[in-house]
Amino acid sequence: MCEGDPVNQDWEDRVTAAWATFDDHAEENGADFRAVIDKLVAELPEGSPLGPFEQASAWDSTGHSDKAVPLYREALARGLDGYKGRRAKIQLSSSLRNIGQAEEGVKLLTPELDGPSDELDDAVRACLALRLSSLGRDREGLSLVLGALAPHLPRYQRSMANYARLLVEPEE
């Protein structure tokens, strides 16, 4: 649920169930899946940031990043925040990359590196690494990926974290 948005758990559960059927719909006809999402969005109060977020996600997931970008922006402008706001930023940055605007995606995601930590931290780093690579900044991207991977390794966490840092910082 979006902070401050009067949406009930039943609606959230139905959206989650709709996304669980994504592969059934989208493989054959993305328009069918988007219609399912549009029907759920129609139940939301006017001005809810969840509507454009869910619609953007549906457009994006069915291969239409160009149609998703303005909807993600609208959701964020309407105040989508918290966990879903962070998801919107990750997904928007991906869509921006897909339409040739990787630099804008980097600008959008970079502040998330210093934001409150949650389960999306590694996704932020992985997505930012892709944006950086699109811009020819592979060492920075590799540094982010290694830094995200290091804590998950059974051994060599400190070494990998140091190697990641050294990719972008000169040795002293």
Side-chain angles (χ1 to χ4, degrees):
M1 201 172 330
C2 179
E3 293 76 24
D5 200 9
V7 174
N8 63 36
Q9 190 59 48
D10 175 64
W11 186 87
E12 289 285 348
D13 291 344
R14 289 184 291 129
V15 168
T16 299
W19 279 101
T21 69
F22 174 76
D23 290 333
D24 299 335
H25 289 282
E27 286 294 319
E28 297 296 319
N29 186 351
D32 288 347
F33 180 73
R34 290 190 304 272
V36 170
I37 296 299
D38 287 344
K39 184 175 178 183
L40 288 162
V41 166
E43 299 175 22
L44 292 170
E46 188 174 330
S48 170
L50 292 174
F53 170 70
E54 292 298 340
Q55 289 172 317
S57 299
W59 278 109
D60 210 1
S61 297
T62 57
H64 299 279
S65 295
D66 58 324
K67 296 187 185 293
V69 166
L71 291 165
Y72 285 131
R73 287 184 171 140
E74 181 180 347
L76 292 166
R78 286 185 184 184
L80 189 67
D81 59 3
Y83 185 79
K84 286 195 178 183
R86 198 165 196 217
R87 283 183 51 204
K89 290 175 187 174
I90 291 168
Q91 292 167 206
L92 173 55
S93 76
S94 178
S95 293
L96 288 166
R97 176 180 172 260
N98 290 342
I99 63 171
Q101 298 176 19
E103 184 65 45
E104 188 176 346
V106 168
K107 289 177 184 173
L108 180 69
L109 274 188
T110 299
E112 291 298 311
L113 294 173
D114 298 322
S117 182
D118 63 19
E119 68 187 49
L120 296 174
D121 288 352
D122 291 343
V124 166
R125 284 166 175 73
C127 290
L128 185 53
L130 283 171
R131 302 319 151 257
L132 290 167
S133 180
S134 293
L135 296 170
R137 296 164 59 185
D138 296 324
R139 288 180 69 86
E140 290 174 76
L142 180 58
S143 175
L144 283 172
V145 171
L146 286 176
L149 175 64
H152 304 284
L153 298 174
R155 298 188 57 84
Y156 316 112
Q157 297 94 346
R158 187 178 0 199
S159 296
M160 276 310 130
N162 284 331
Y163 293 143
R165 183 182 47 77
L166 290 173
L167 282 168
V168 292
E169 293 178 7
E171 283 192 66
E172 296 178 3

